[in-house]
Amino acid sequence: MSTAAPARKDFLSVLDFDPSDLERCLEIAAQVKADRTLGRQAPTSAALAGRHIAMLFEKASLRTRSTFEIAVVELGGNVVSLQPEAALGKREPVADVARNLERWVDGIVIRTFSQRVLEEFARAAPRMRVINALSDDQHPCQALADVMTLREQWGPLRGRTVAYVGDGNNVAVSLVHATLMLGVNIHVVSPDGYQLPDWAVQQAAAASRHGARLRLFSDAADGVAGADAVYTDTWTSMGQEAEAERRRQVFAPYQVNDALMSHAKPGALFMHCLPAHRGEEVTADVFESAASVVFDQAENRLHVQKALLVMLVAAAHA
Ligand code: CP
Ligand code: NVA
């Protein structure tokens, strides 16, 4: 198992990986998943020995924070929990915070609003690895778990089609990046005014491999037609709470329910990054159906993030 570090120091976007990094990440993730039963005997159980990884979360998190903390501990490293009000407040500039931290820690996992804050951390601290644990723009660690889950379900991914139905948000952007890079077609189905941002559409052409295509739709049934998996996310992301009522109205025709699933291929999977809102973006029936792989996605967060830490931090010091 090759664990050579990717060319980019940080993981702020799936596009910080080249396709071979993404393949390697998925291979390592599958291996650490299989090895997990070995506990302390697992070959990677000391991969982060003597290493410190800081956690800085400015928004709520169940999955991302728990799985990163467990990943660091199971790799033999140490977690340093930072207070967002101390590290991202008004006490000192972000660049100063980053330059302090890089004297102590090897990597930092950050959940914040602005992608620019992540970029500032990465730029100011050339020796510290920065990992995006969700920003307003992207959620790359989620996308790694999503494509791992698809590979477990399908084996080879090339030529498959995923339909993402809902807000063209952070989860959608990273899913577009990861699917296209692996040769998977992606449909993004959104109401007017909530489509995938233009910058993400432009990036898609460069990310695509093996002829995979991004197609944008506004009609839910059209977008889902022929899809091998249907993915949705909350209509109101963290930070948009004031818009929740308006969004509930705009997105109502985009609910993933049995009628919409019937337009997808027979046996199509249902995916969601969680947390889910039954009766809004997905019905309880679809969420609880045999097609739903949402808890596999959640489990795989742990394995892909372990792989990421092995590649970024352990391999960098190998
Ligand atoms: N999917 C996801 O990122 O979940 P959390 O917000 O709970 O971390
Ligand atoms: N789009 C959601 C994802 C949560 C994991 C948000 O940003 O709140």
Side-chain angles (χ1 to χ4, degrees):
M1 179 164 81
S2 156
T3 56
R8 299 273 181 106
K9 171 178 80 76
D10 307 295
F11 187 71
L12 308 187
S13 167
V14 174
L15 300 182
D16 283 335
F17 270 180
D18 64 27
S20 65
D21 295 326
L22 180 52
E23 285 293 342
R24 208 165 61 248
C25 181
L26 295 178
E27 274 169 35
I28 297 170
Q31 190 62 53
V32 295
K33 183 170 185 172
D35 289 344
R36 193 163 184 234
T37 52
L38 300 175
R40 292 256 177 100
Q41 308 308 316
T44 52
S45 66
L48 293 186
R51 307 276 160 218
H52 304 280
I53 307 293
M55 302 284 152
L56 178 50
F57 280 66
E58 209 182 2
K59 298 180 179 181
S61 171
L62 172 67
R63 281 148 289 271
T64 309
R65 183 162 197 144
S66 315
T67 50
F68 263 115
E69 293 198 5
I70 294 165
V72 172
V73 169
E74 290 189 359
L75 294 171
N78 177 51
V79 172
V80 180
S81 289
L82 302 175
Q83 296 174 326
E85 59 277 17
L88 285 169
K90 298 199 166 27
R91 295 183 79 223
E92 54 197 309
V94 163
D96 288 2
V97 173
R99 288 184 292 172
N100 276 268
L101 287 168
E102 79 163 340
R103 299 294 176 110
W104 312 320
V105 306
D106 302 280
I108 184 165
V109 175
I110 305 177
R111 171 169 286 195
T112 187
F113 293 86
S114 165
Q115 186 83 8
R116 243 178 278 157
V117 168
L118 293 165
E119 287 162 4
E120 232 180 308
F121 262 94
R123 212 172 22 244
R127 285 175 292 168
M128 181 171 69
R129 304 283 179 151
V130 181
I131 295 175
N132 180 358
L134 180 147
S135 69
D136 288 348
D137 290 354
Q138 304 191 42
H139 196 2
C141 296
Q142 179 67 50
L144 296 179
D146 298 339
V147 291
M148 178 177 185
T149 305
L150 290 176
R151 184 167 281 183
E152 288 175 338
Q153 292 289 328
W154 295 338
L157 298 181
R158 268 184 221 175
R160 295 278 193 167
T161 299
V162 174
Y164 174 94
V165 183
D167 192 16
N169 63 13
N170 44 11
V171 168
V173 167
S174 293
L175 183 69
V176 165
H177 291 157
T179 49
L180 289 178
M181 205 184 272
L182 292 169
V184 176
N185 300 306
I186 176 95
H187 296 179
V188 178
V189 191
S190 315
D192 281 356
Y194 297 88
Q195 287 109 342
L196 205 62
D198 287 343
W199 56 264
V201 174
Q202 280 154 25
Q203 285 177 338
S208 170
R209 295 290 182 280
H210 313 294
R213 280 187 65 199
L214 163 66
R215 295 177 65 199
L216 305 178
F217 295 83
S218 55
D219 182 83
D222 286 351
V224 162
D228 298 287
V230 178
Y231 197 125
T232 192
D233 181 19
T234 184
W235 293 337
T236 302
S237 285
M238 290 180 277
Q240 299 171 334
E241 290 76 9
E243 303 169 25
E245 193 40 52
R246 166 98 191 112
R247 284 171 170 268
R248 265 194 285 276
Q249 290 165 21
V250 172
F251 283 97
Y254 295 82
Q255 183 185 67
V256 179
N257 49 33
D258 286 328
L260 188 63
M261 288 299 287
S262 73
H263 292 276
K265 279 201 188 137
L269 303 173
F270 170 71
M271 305 181 77
H272 196 306
C273 57
L274 307 180
H277 308 84
R278 291 165 179 77
E280 295 190 23
E281 73 270 11
V282 61
T283 57
D285 283 353
V286 171
F287 186 90
E288 301 294 348
S289 71
S292 177
V293 292
V294 299
F295 296 109
D296 292 331
Q297 293 172 258
E299 174 179 348
N300 287 335
R301 297 294 306 274
L302 172 63
H303 310 303
V304 293
Q305 289 161 197
K306 264 190 190 170
L308 188 59
L309 290 165
V310 166
M311 289 171 71
L312 288 187
V313 182
H317 294 281

